[in-house]
Amino acid sequence: HEVRGFLDALATRCFSDGTNAWTAQDHTAYTFRCAGTRGLELVAPVLLEHVLSPRITQPHFASEVHALQPDGALTGVVYAEMHARQHSERDLAELAWRTALYSTRLAHAFASASGSVSASLLDREPGVSDDVGRGAAEWLRWEAGGRTDEIVKLTVDEVERFHARFYKPERVTVVLG
């Protein structure tokens, strides 16, 4: 939506505490809770529109992804969250663990030794055809939200291309509970 905060404002009118999003290695989840089915009927289509057809303007990008302020400070929701995470002991240890665990050599050794994992499954991203595959389970070792040194290099065009490639109706799973 053109107006920042529109989705959260709509959700709170349905007795919701707002919306949230988080990213893991294999998916991004967009969540909200509301009272009753009428709230679901009102918010769900707008939420799906936000996910599948985002309107990413430069001001939205600056507030949600990153921006360099006149005083030299880097801001943006994604940048700030990942900056806080990438320097914590827990996240540094987890990243080192994932990097070691999901290295190409280790993943193939496990696949061939155990016979429980198909090596071909390790060679591609989930839901992505072989022609755009990655190394064996390589995508599992990446920092899902990105590293700040890479986030600051992103452009609006790159984010739009990423969304066009991966955020498609056939790749969406809606879970109601």
Side-chain angles (χ1 to χ4, degrees), residues 3-110:
V3 178
R4 179 170 163 70
F6 174 80
L7 180 61
D8 282 329
L10 176 63
T12 57
R13 290 185 64 193
C14 300
F15 301 104
S16 172
D17 54 1
T19 61
N20 193 24
W22 54 275
T23 301
Q25 277 69 22
D26 61 346
H27 71 280
T28 298
Y30 297 87
T31 63
F32 79 97
R33 294 180 297 187
C34 64
T37 57
R38 183 68 181 136
L40 177 65
E41 291 170 353
L42 290 171
V43 177
V46 178
L47 176 63
L48 287 170
E49 179 187 1
H50 273 64
V51 171
L52 295 173
S53 302
R55 292 175 184 95
I56 306 171
T57 64
Q58 187 59 47
H60 287 125
F61 181 85
S63 67
E64 295 299 319
V65 182
H66 77 84
L68 179 62
Q69 298 301 314
D71 64 0
L74 285 163
T75 61
V77 174
V78 173
Y79 180 86
E81 288 178 1
M82 296 315 301
H83 185 268
R85 288 198 58 203
Q86 81 180 35
H87 298 293
S88 74
E89 288 180 15
R90 177 182 175 190
D91 284 301
L92 289 169
E94 181 185 324
L95 182 60
W97 176 79
R98 280 196 327 265
T99 299
L101 183 63
Y102 296 114
S103 71
T104 301
R105 185 171 45 214
L106 183 63
H108 278 289
F110 174 77

Side-chain angles (χ1 to χ4, degrees), residues 143-162:
E143 178 56 65
R147 306 283 297 164
T148 55
D149 59 329
E150 295 297 325
I151 292 169
V152 297
K153 297 175 187 173
L154 288 173
T155 66
V156 172
D157 289 340
E158 289 172 316
V159 172
E160 286 176 337
R161 283 196 308 272
F162 181 86

